[in-house]
């Protein structure tokens, strides 16, 4: 069985290859791709696969754009640490949706669906949503930030907001100090607890516990003020409506 892996985090990809070797004797991983563009180039070149195992959030966007733009009919196993895209995954040729960290037994169950290539059933969806509702998703608790030539761990609960700054991601702490980290905002959005953190724009992910006020500035935008910060965070009113719901409960 020819298997294509799309995963930008090398440790996750290596672990997945190892698990495949352990639970599927005829598994042959043909390639490990790391971006949406690499995925599109792979299939545009005429190459095929019997099975795709793909992380959803990639450095240059969501993997769904690969399958939306190209006619790909082989089964897909989606992997992610975040539940936001679970329902959208079922729009494609998905046979499973695995939450990270992937367990060997879950991978075995997913591969067992391969002979007849069945689509993910309602029972599969119900089981996934049950897992999510029971809180079995593990959200990121720490992050490494740059401290001179060293990397220092900090707790994400102490971050006021994450900011896209000159091509990098800056973590601004509650005490106003700021340091850069290696993860993109897209990756952080996937790994942070959605009950605590919200992506309010392409430039900002905020800790909702640090919000002071929301001020409407025109028909489409609002200004979000954060504790101990002079940063002017402008977000669409649609995004702010989501923030209001999160704050008003």
């Amino acid at each position: 069985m020819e298997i294509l892996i799309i995963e930008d985090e090398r440790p996750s990809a290596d672990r997945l290859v190892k698990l495949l070797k352990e639970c599927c004797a005829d598994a042959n991983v043909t390639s490990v791709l790391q971006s949406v563009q690499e995925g599109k180039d792979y299939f545009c070149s005429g190459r095929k696969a019997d099975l795709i195992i793909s992380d959803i959030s990639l450095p240059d966007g969501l993997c769904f754009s690969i399958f939306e733009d190209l006619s790909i009919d082989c089964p897909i196993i989606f992997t992610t640490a975040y539940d936001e895209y679970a329902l959208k995954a079922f729009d494609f040729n998905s046979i499973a949706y695995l939450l990270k960290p992937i367990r060997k037994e879950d991978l075995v169950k997913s591969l067992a669906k391969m002979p007849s290539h069945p689509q993910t059933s309602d029972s599969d969806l119900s089981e996934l949503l049950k897992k999510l509702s029971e809180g079995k998703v593990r959200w990121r608790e720490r992050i490494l930030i740059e401290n001179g030539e060293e990397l220092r761990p900090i707790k994400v609960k102490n971050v006021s907001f994450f900011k896209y700054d000159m091509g990098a991601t800056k973590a601004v702490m509650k005490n106003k100090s700021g340091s850069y980290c290696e993860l993109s905002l897209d990756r952080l959005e996937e790994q942070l607890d959605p009950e605590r953190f919200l992506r309010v724009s392409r430039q900002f992910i905020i800790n909702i516990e640090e919000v002071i006020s929301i001020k409407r500035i025109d028909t489409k935008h609002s200004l979000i003020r954060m504790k101990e910060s002079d940063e002017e965070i402008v977000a669409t009113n649609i995004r702010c409506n989501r923030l209001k719901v999160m704050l008003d409960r």
Side-chain angles (χ1 to χ4, degrees), residues 134-149:
E134 291 174 350
K136 293 185 178 179
V137 181
R138 296 180 59 184
W139 307 113
R140 178 179 285 276
E141 297 180 356
R142 295 177 181 80
I143 191 171
L144 291 174
I145 61 171
E146 297 176 4
N147 182 29
E149 296 182 353

Side-chain angles (χ1 to χ4, degrees), residues 43-54:
F43 288 104
C44 285
S45 69
R47 301 182 68 183
K48 298 183 181 297
D50 298 317
L51 172 68
I52 300 170
I53 303 180
S54 178

Side-chain angles (χ1 to χ4, degrees), residues 2-69:
E2 305 291 311
I3 300 175
L4 169 66
I5 294 176
I6 306 176
E7 168 63 72
D8 67 302
E9 291 188 340
R10 176 53 62 177
S12 295
D14 291 344
R15 182 171 184 274
L16 184 53
V17 170
K18 180 177 180 292
L19 288 176
L20 284 168
K21 290 180 179 178
E22 293 176 358
C23 63
C24 185
D26 67 339
N28 177 31
V29 177
T30 58
S31 296
V32 177
L33 309 181
Q34 298 183 336
S35 68
V36 170
Q37 189 58 54
E38 286 185 6
K40 291 181 177 180
D41 292 343
Y42 180 94
F43 288 104
C44 285
S45 69
R47 301 182 68 183
K48 298 183 181 297
D50 298 317
L51 172 68
I52 300 170
I53 303 180
S54 178
D55 189 9
I56 289 180
S57 182
L58 299 168
D60 54 347
L62 301 181
C63 74
F64 299 129
S65 62
I66 302 173
F67 313 122
E68 288 170 339
D69 296 345

Side-chain angles (χ1 to χ4, degrees), residues 37-183:
Q37 189 58 54
E38 286 185 6
K40 291 181 177 180
D41 292 343
Y42 180 94
F43 288 104
C44 285
S45 69
R47 301 182 68 183
K48 298 183 181 297
D50 298 317
L51 172 68
I52 300 170
I53 303 180
S54 178
D55 189 9
I56 289 180
S57 182
L58 299 168
D60 54 347
L62 301 181
C63 74
F64 299 129
S65 62
I66 302 173
F67 313 122
E68 288 170 339
D69 296 345
L70 302 171
S71 178
I72 300 171
D73 57 6
C74 69
I76 305 167
I77 295 175
F78 290 103
T79 68
T80 188
Y82 192 39
D83 69 319
E84 178 181 359
Y85 308 110
L87 296 180
K88 185 174 178 60
F90 295 114
D91 291 339
F92 301 94
N93 299 327
S94 60
I95 59 172
Y97 185 104
L98 301 182
L99 297 175
K100 293 181 177 179
I102 297 172
R103 301 185 306 166
K104 182 177 179 180
E105 53 266 40
D106 291 334
L107 183 59
V108 170
K109 290 179 182 178
S110 301
L111 293 172
K113 301 178 182 181
M114 279 295 295
S116 56
H117 293 183
Q119 294 291 314
T120 307
S121 66
D122 290 342
S123 61
D124 293 325
L125 177 56
S126 297
E127 182 180 352
L128 168 63
L129 296 179
K130 182 174 183 292
K131 286 182 180 180
L132 296 173
S133 66
E134 291 174 350
K136 293 185 178 179
V137 181
R138 296 180 59 184
W139 307 113
R140 178 179 285 276
E141 297 180 356
R142 295 177 181 80
I143 191 171
L144 291 174
I145 61 171
E146 297 176 4
N147 182 29
E149 296 182 353
E150 299 178 332
L151 293 175
R152 180 166 59 91
I154 59 171
K155 293 183 177 180
V156 295
K157 68 179 182 180
N158 294 327
V159 176
S160 177
F161 57 88
F162 293 94
K163 175 184 179 181
Y164 180 79
D165 182 48
M166 296 186 296
T169 301
K170 188 175 186 179
V172 179
M173 310 301 292
K174 294 179 180 180
N175 63 6
K176 293 186 177 182
S177 65
S179 300
Y180 291 96
C181 65
E182 296 180 346
L183 293 176

